[in-house]
């Protein structure tokens, strides 16, 4: 029996890591094989084989003997234009039975976790199937044993770095607090003190900016493993995008699905964080858990449960994990969005008068804890050591050196359009909605539009009079600005002002 073959055509369509194929509805292969829209099909070209999701074309966009490939599918399959591609039905996805079982309450075994992660990394899961996996693992459905199994599977699926040092440190924030971009301050402080800190960071999942998004406005973050290793060996630290070094490839793919779903469960969160830390060669990790009414972690009880899980999984993996529970009542710093947060970072590093003190103090707290973990400061002496390094300019010098080693330092972009939102009445600011503020920054275009976001002028406890500025919206187009402002005007509690008694 002959194998169906079509000519490959690059469509130039960005489907963001999802492998998509396109065939005409009247294509003989499409009809003979019974392929329908959204079907999963197997593609072979030379020694490469990938599974893609089919989109059916009802026009002359393609020739009848062509198969169109999205950018992700083209990159994975690697054909030349017009090269023959063999088509077929993929084998049944055996590991998905464990996902179905998980949906109905069956625990995830170690073998199942390994099989699922292997299939995810191989591109055998469609976005719908990955969404089912993420949902099945959310809402408190994963226990510690399952989390350990998933974390180990994710570590085993990617590269694993090792360093010529008995102590390799790292820090991470669980997120949910806009502007809390302490990584870009902690790394140069810690590296300047002689510790190795090979920091890999994610792009934004549910926030207006991840550390990698912010760093990318200042220096390249897409480093391969040899380049990352060279930067760390030369400067003691780096701030790189984890997706480029494939330390936890399954996590990078799951993040793509978690982002639009807005889901980030404890089990997946811990597996995501610790798989990347172990893969990066870390031995000691500090985790920042901000707690607040509108933060990701909303109560002391939830923070305590997450801390227990982080430490238990860390211990099982041979990783020393320390947790700091911090104040998550309001955003940190002034800027929310990649470039705006980068400007806050530069102000703190350069010791400028307008530098946000809350960001500075949080960074000193975290850097101090890392220095104590790594043996570069005695108990209770870490903050003072970190402050001396920051105030002396050593951290700023090291940050510039890291940027140069990663490919050269650059200026963050500036938005073309801004609008100031002002207080409608006098009173005291008694609450800020972290989630609403983050959404406002995203509606303005962040993180995709690097200069977009908001600058916050209002802080808890501040007394306002009518007309005082609350925040400035930054956008790269008039449409994005109008979209964000429409949302801001529809929300009563982005900034809650308790009116003064008459």
């Amino acid at each position: 029996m002959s194998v169906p073959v079509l000519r490959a055509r690059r469509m130039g369509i960005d489907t963001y890591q999802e492998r998509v194929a396109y065939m005409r509805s009247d294509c003989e292969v499409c009809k003979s094989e019974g392929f329908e829209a959204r079907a999963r099909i197997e593609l072979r070209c030379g020694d490469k084989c990938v599974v893609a999701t089919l989109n059916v074309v009802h026009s002359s966009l393609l020739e009848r003997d062509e198969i169109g490939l999205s950018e992700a599918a083209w990159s994975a399959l690697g054909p030349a234009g017009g090269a023959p591609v063999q088509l077929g039905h993929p084998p049944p996805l055996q590991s998905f039975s464990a996902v179905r079982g998980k949906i109905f309450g069956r625990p995830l075994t170690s073998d199942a976790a390994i099989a699922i992660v292997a299939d995810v990394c191989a591109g055998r899961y469609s976005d719908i199937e990955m969404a089912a996996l993420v949902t099945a693992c959310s809402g408190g459905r994963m226990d510690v044993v399952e989390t350990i199994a998933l974390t180990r599977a994710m570590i085993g699926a990617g590269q694993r770095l090792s360093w010529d040092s008995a102590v390799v440190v790292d820090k991470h924030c669980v997120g949910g607090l806009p502007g809390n971009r302490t990584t870009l301050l902690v790394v140069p402080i810690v590296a300047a003190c002689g510790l190795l800190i090979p920091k890999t960071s994610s792009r934004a999942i549910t926030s207006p900016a991840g550390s990698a998004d912010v760093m990318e406005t200042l220096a390249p973050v897409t480093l391969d493993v040899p380049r990352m290793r060279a930067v760390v060996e030369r400067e003691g630290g780096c701030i790189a995008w984890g997706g480029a070094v494939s330390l936890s490839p399954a996590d990078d793919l799951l993040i793509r699905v978690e982002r639009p779903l807005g889901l980030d469960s404890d089990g997946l969160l811990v597996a995501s964080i610790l798989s990347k830390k172990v893969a990066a060669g870390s031995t000691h990790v500090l985790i920042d858990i901000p707690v607040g009414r509108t933060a990701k972690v909303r109560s002391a009880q939830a923070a305590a449960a997450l801390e227990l899980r982080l430490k238990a999984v860390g211990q099982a993996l041979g990783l020393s994990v320390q947790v700091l529970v911090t104040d998550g009542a309001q955003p940190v710093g002034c800027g929310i969005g990649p470039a705006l947060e980068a400007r806050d970072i530069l102000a703190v590093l350069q010791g400028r008068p307008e530098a946000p003190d809350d960001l500075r103090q949080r960074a000193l707290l975290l850097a101090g804890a890392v220095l104590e973990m790594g043996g570069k400061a005695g108990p209770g002496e870490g903050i003072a050591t970190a402050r001396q390094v920051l105030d002396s300019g050593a951290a700023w010098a090291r940050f510039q050196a890291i940027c140069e080693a990663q490919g050269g330092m650059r200026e963050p972009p500036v938005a073309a359009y801004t609008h100031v939102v002002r207080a409608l009445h006098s009173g005291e600011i008694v609450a800020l909605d972290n989630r609403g503020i983050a959404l406002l920054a995203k509606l303005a275009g962040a993180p995709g539009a690097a200069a977009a976001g908001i600058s916050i002028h209002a802080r808890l406890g501040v007394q306002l009079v009518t007309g005082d500025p609350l925040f400035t919206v930054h956008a790269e187009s008039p449409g994005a600005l109008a979209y964000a402002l429409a949302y801001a005007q529809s929300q009563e509690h982005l900034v809650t002002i308790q009116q003064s008694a008459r």
Side-chain angles (χ1 to χ4, degrees), residues 312-395:
V313 176
Q315 183 177 24
L317 300 172
L319 191 64
S320 175
V321 176
Q322 181 178 327
V323 171
L324 281 181
V325 177
T326 57
D327 180 12
Q330 62 181 333
V332 179
C334 302
I336 310 297
L340 296 168
E341 294 179 38
R343 294 185 185 282
D344 281 354
I345 295 295
L346 294 177
V348 173
L349 285 168
Q350 295 167 4
R352 298 206 299 262
E354 71 273 19
D357 190 59
D358 59 340
L359 177 60
R360 170 186 163 88
Q361 297 305 325
R362 290 179 77 95
L364 291 175
L365 173 67
L366 296 167
V370 173
L371 292 174
E372 292 178 23
M373 288 179 71
K376 292 296 182 179
E381 298 175 354
I383 293 177
T385 302
R387 183 181 295 113
Q388 189 278 327
V389 172
L390 184 60
D391 291 347
S392 70

Side-chain angles (χ1 to χ4, degrees), residues 137-163:
C137 294
S138 299
R141 293 187 178 92
M142 288 186 72
D143 61 23
V144 171
V145 173
E146 292 173 293
T147 306
I148 292 170
L150 181 60
T151 308
R152 282 182 169 148
M154 290 168 71
I155 294 167
Q159 299 189 65
R160 189 164 178 176
L161 303 180
S162 60
W163 305 94

Side-chain angles (χ1 to χ4, degrees), residues 400-423:
Q400 292 177 87
I402 289 172
C403 289
E404 288 303 319
Q406 290 189 194
M409 195 167 181
R410 52 203 179 202
E411 279 290 319
V414 177
Y417 302 90
T418 62
H419 183 87
V420 180
V421 176
R422 300 180 182 277

Side-chain angles (χ1 to χ4, degrees), residues 32 55-56 95 107 113 147 149 186 208 258 314 329 372 389 406 412 435 438 441 461 492:
S32 66
N55 283 358
V56 175
S95 68
T147 306
V186 172
E258 289 174 324
E372 292 178 23
V389 172
Q406 290 189 194
R435 291 172 182 265
E492 296 181 5

Side-chain angles (χ1 to χ4, degrees), residues 5 29 92 153 157 159 183 237 264 282 302 311 379 401 420 422 424 441 494 502:
V5 176
V29 173
Q159 299 189 65
T183 288
D264 200 1
S282 301
K311 288 184 173 179
V420 180
R422 300 180 182 277
L424 298 178
L494 287 177
R502 295 189 176 183

